[in-house]
Amino acid sequence: MAEIGFTLMSEQSPAKELVEDAVAAERAGFGYAVVSDHYFPWLEEMGHSPYAWSVLGAVAQTTERLPLMTYVTCPIMRYHPAVVAQKAATMGVLSDGRFTLGVGAGENLNEHVIGHGWPPVNTRHEMFREAIEVIKELFQGGYRNYRGEYFDIDSARLFDLPERPVPVAVAASGDQSVDIAAELGDGLVATDPDGSLVERFAASGGEGKPVYGQLAVCYDPDRDAAVERAHRLWRWSVAGWKVMSELPAPVNFAAATETVRPEDVAEKVPCGADPGAVVEAVRKYAEAGFTHIALVQIGRERQREFFEWSEKELLPALRDLQT
């Protein structure tokens, strides 16, 4: 029985709207909320990218029951892992234990801004492993030291910790990152309904831990309008993760997706106002072993209507799927 969440897509909405969306998601009956942690939007047309951690602090104070999560934070370049540990612990306190730290090895799009170049994938995974070790070490409390190839901490201590350590969910797209998730993570994050990733995660030590997925949808009473908006704002996703992690700027994503057609996006994204299309897409994640699936409503234009539709039609249909 998968829990259905909502994605606060920071790349397409200003900060205040994201906070309002979180309140609306809680009211509509979504089971949790995740927020993307970007420096840039994927495409210039998306138009926004506020600081996710400021948004999270506001959301923690304006919601009451909604579990919260980053989907996902990269702790290897733009943020030092000691700083990630501090702000995650603070979120654990502010949210009264409702926060999960989702971490991933990141994208050139967001990490190049510090001017240190973009390491090859094997190096990124080595950095990622060390970063998670640093974060979890600091979550234990007390003064901590760490000496690694990429990261050091010197007599560091988090003075404000939640009653229980913040869970760390680890994003993975292949065998190497899945093994890191199984060894060090309290959950797995994956973008596609790939049952082989979930199986490897379970076999490598992740049995019984939550598995988080994400599904983009484009609600609109006019399906043609939904397809147009999905293509305009979501065509970047068709490139696949190996491309998405390497491109440095929105202009490069625009160039890389010039030949993507509206129907190419519509094949992957349920468009329109038919709950059945979303139910079938969610079913694939559930059958692959995902325990949590966060929906993304593409675009700002129909967010209010999306929440109304979700409360009245979509979420009841998804609950019927699980009974």
Side-chain angles (χ1 to χ4, degrees):
M1 293 184 65
E3 187 76 67
I4 304 300
F6 178 76
T7 300
L8 304 170
M9 196 70 182
S10 63
E11 300 95 295
Q12 67 179 18
S13 298
K16 287 186 177 180
E17 280 189 20
L18 292 170
V19 177
E20 293 167 0
D21 288 346
V23 173
E26 182 174 66
R27 186 181 303 120
F30 283 93
Y32 68 105
V34 306
V35 64
S36 53
D37 186 355
H38 270 232
Y39 199 90
F40 282 98
W42 297 99
L43 297 167
E44 293 281 354
E45 293 97 317
M46 299 180 84
H48 296 278
S49 198
Y51 184 53
W53 291 88
S54 297
V55 172
L56 277 168
V59 169
Q61 300 308 297
T62 54
T63 57
E64 297 178 357
R65 61 160 183 85
L66 206 63
L68 305 172
M69 178 180 177
T70 48
Y71 196 102
V72 291
T73 288
C74 176
I76 68 172
M77 294 185 68
R78 182 168 45 113
Y79 306 135
H80 190 283
V83 176
V84 173
Q86 184 188 33
K87 54 193 179 182
T90 300
M91 269 303 302
V93 173
L94 285 173
S95 66
D96 294 320
R98 290 185 283 141
F99 180 66
T100 295
L101 174 64
V103 292
E107 305 93 18
N108 194 6
L109 174 70
N110 301 301
E111 308 308 314
H112 79 271
V113 296
I114 64 171
H116 290 179
W118 186 232
V121 64
N122 284 345
T123 301
R124 299 200 301 267
H125 283 148
E126 292 168 2
M127 297 172 72
F128 188 42
R129 172 183 288 276
E130 284 193 11
I132 299 170
E133 290 175 347
V134 167
I135 291 166
K136 301 202 80 170
E137 184 79 11
L138 288 168
F139 282 173
Q140 299 308 307
Y143 287 94
R144 300 286 169 167
N145 296 289
Y146 183 94
R147 294 290 178 266
E149 184 176 352
Y150 303 99
F151 298 109
D152 298 331
I153 54 172
D154 180 15
S155 193
R157 177 185 171 188
L158 300 179
F159 276 82
D160 291 273
L161 287 165
E163 292 183 4
R164 292 183 296 175
V166 171
V168 179
V170 178
S173 58
D175 290 349
Q176 189 175 15
S177 49
V178 167
D179 290 344
I180 294 172
E183 179 185 350
L184 299 176
D186 303 301
L188 173 69
V189 176
T191 55
D192 297 317
D194 185 345
S196 65
L197 288 179
V198 180
E199 290 172 5
R200 185 179 179 102
F201 175 68
S204 301
E207 183 72 42
K209 296 178 180 179
V211 180
Y212 296 89
Q214 188 176 67
L215 172 67
V217 304
C218 196
Y219 166 79
D220 198 295
D222 182 341
R223 187 177 186 277
D224 290 340
V227 171
E228 183 280 327
R229 187 167 69 249
H231 176 257
R232 173 166 45 87
L233 298 177
W234 213 258
R235 64 187 185 277
W236 54 269
S237 66
V238 176
W241 191 250
K242 289 186 177 181
V243 174
M244 290 161 53
S245 63
E246 303 296 338
L247 297 180
V251 65
N252 303 109
F253 280 91
T257 56
E258 282 183 348
T259 60
V260 174
R261 304 168 301 172
E263 54 265 38
D264 297 328
V265 180
E267 284 181 6
K268 297 178 175 292
V269 175
C271 293
D274 176 17
V278 181
V279 169
E280 288 307 308
V282 166
R283 189 193 305 274
K284 294 178 182 178
Y285 283 87
E287 290 176 348
F290 285 73
T291 62
H292 294 70
I293 303 146
L295 305 184
V296 183
Q297 162 64 4
I298 298 173
R300 299 167 56 200
E301 298 92 324
R302 294 285 187 177
Q303 286 286 16
R304 298 281 78 76
E305 296 95 329
F306 169 78
F307 288 124
E308 293 172 4
W309 175 69
S310 294
E311 183 176 8
K312 295 176 181 178
E313 298 186 46
L314 178 59
L315 291 176
L318 288 169
R319 284 191 283 269
D320 288 343
L321 169 66
Q322 301 176 82
T323 57

